[in-house]
Amino acid sequence: MTEALILTELRGDGARRTGLVTLNRPKQLNALNDELMDQLGAALLAWDADDSVGCIVVTGSEKAFAAGADIAAMASKSFIEAYQGDFITRNWETMRRIRKPVIAAVAGFALGGGCELAMMCDFIIAADTARFGQPEIKLGIIPGAGGTQRLPRAVGKSKAMDLVLTGRMMDAAEAERAGLVSRVVPADKLLAEALAAGELICAMGGPSVMMAKECVNRAFESGLTDGVSYERRMFHALFATADQKEGMEAFLAKRKAVFKHA
Ligand code: CAA
């Protein structure tokens, strides 16, 4: 029987619920290996295709979101094994294919691949215990799951260089100042806060949520003129949805909108 390296459950009691996935290799501080990433990818894809799921939260343990790629599993890899097996690309970035919002709820260590996994999510809510870093340089390697690309986009060149070249960790307060995380909350409120954000998102109109995510992501893939033009087309398209009519009518009638996600 395959070991469950993640735990999954649905939370919330609205028409659309939040999929909560907990990384579950506590003894190894949730070190990420191919099996875990396969299981995580499969869970994310299943929820992405499930109309009853409106948002996803990815979390770890109190001590570690994830302490990086599993060093024991890759220590003896040769170049040719890494290259021909397409290490990382093959299955670690399934997250990028997910069209529904994914929130990372991070407590404790988010290092190396763990920091990179958090950065692949749409936003990060951090516990005050969270510590972020790209310590690969200390292992004689560099980040391999997007860290050298996503970190500078999140925190700017200077801090990204500092973290990637020295391998030092930054605490939650520094991560918030730098713009890596959207908010910092007390550790015992982390899950509640992330699930509350999930519930809010679940109650919004599904098409507008998906298009909003797509447009913000477009900001990282295009110049301003193209990005704004892309946004404008999406904005226009939403006038074809029932949710736009409901949202605006509800506002004018001073009642709460009830979206049909259509
Ligand atoms: N891979 C494999 N095992 C790991 C691990 C990792 N990334 N991180 C921690 N563990 C294991 C430890 O080996 C240890 O196992 P044993 O109990 O069997 O000895 C267990 O988890 C607990 O770890 P520590 O005893 O080290 O706990 P600590 O509290 O003293 O230190 C830590 C915590 C600072 C996070 C430390 O474990 C650490 O530095 N871990 C490695 C972090 C790292 O280098 N991550 C980058 C990996 S490379 C990468 O991610 C590449 C990429 O871009 C994809």
Side-chain angles (χ1 to χ4, degrees):
M1 208 176 82
T2 323
E3 197 187 351
L5 301 177
I6 58 166
L7 305 172
T8 58
E9 57 187 300
L10 290 176
R11 292 291 195 94
D13 46 22
R16 300 180 107 204
R17 306 177 75 196
T18 300
L20 171 64
V21 55
T22 306
L23 309 181
N24 186 39
R25 291 187 82 203
K27 284 205 193 81
Q28 295 84 6
L29 303 184
N30 292 329
L32 307 169
N33 59 19
D34 269 341
E35 293 75 34
L36 190 154
M37 295 312 283
D38 282 339
Q39 290 179 23
L40 177 63
L44 295 175
L45 287 172
W47 281 334
D48 209 33
D50 181 342
D51 286 344
S52 73
V53 174
C55 184
I56 296 167
V57 171
V58 180
T59 197
S61 70
E62 250 173 58
K63 182 155 185 204
F65 177 73
D70 188 329
I71 299 167
M74 65 183 165
S76 63
K77 254 189 207 304
S78 66
F79 161 73
I80 209 68
E81 280 167 344
Y83 181 69
Q84 282 188 335
D86 207 8
F87 181 41
I88 304 290
T89 318
R90 189 181 65 77
N91 57 346
W92 283 48
E93 293 199 325
T94 307
M95 178 81 82
R96 292 177 59 190
R97 290 160 49 198
I98 305 306
R99 299 177 72 201
K100 292 175 183 168
V102 184
I103 304 170
V106 175
F109 298 111
L111 302 177
C115 185
E116 292 168 303
L117 179 64
M119 288 191 290
M120 284 179 220
C121 297
D122 295 312
F123 63 98
I124 303 173
I125 300 182
D128 49 12
T129 58
R131 302 186 77 190
F132 298 87
Q134 297 290 162
E136 289 88 344
I137 202 87
K138 295 189 201 166
L139 300 170
I141 56 168
I142 63 170
T148 64
Q149 304 305 300
R150 292 195 179 94
L151 192 59
R153 282 169 169 77
V155 305
K157 175 182 166 183
S158 191
K159 199 175 282 287
M161 283 286 191
D162 177 1
L163 292 163
V164 169
L165 294 176
T166 68
R168 79 173 176 88
M169 295 184 215
M170 64 175 166
D171 64 17
E174 184 179 353
E176 188 182 30
R177 279 197 307 277
L180 180 65
V181 311
S182 69
R183 33 182 144 152
V184 179
V185 300
D188 61 352
K189 305 268 184 324
L190 176 67
L191 202 52
E193 189 90 10
L195 289 169
E199 198 161 322
L200 279 178
I201 292 168
C202 284
M204 305 298 174
S208 55
V209 165
M210 238 182 221
M211 287 190 204
K213 167 169 172 162
E214 209 174 322
C215 286
V216 174
N217 279 333
R218 192 78 179 193
F220 296 99
E221 315 277 346
S222 63
L224 183 61
T225 304
D226 284 347
V228 168
S229 158
Y230 191 81
E231 179 204 74
R232 207 56 40 85
R233 295 296 162 257
M234 293 287 191
F235 173 72
H236 293 159
L238 283 165
F239 285 82
T241 64
D243 285 349
Q244 174 266 330
K245 299 289 173 285
E246 167 63 10
M248 293 192 183
E249 279 166 23
F251 175 83
L252 294 172
K254 301 191 187 305
R255 62 172 174 81
K256 194 172 176 317
V258 181
F259 292 117
K260 295 208 163 54
H261 313 297

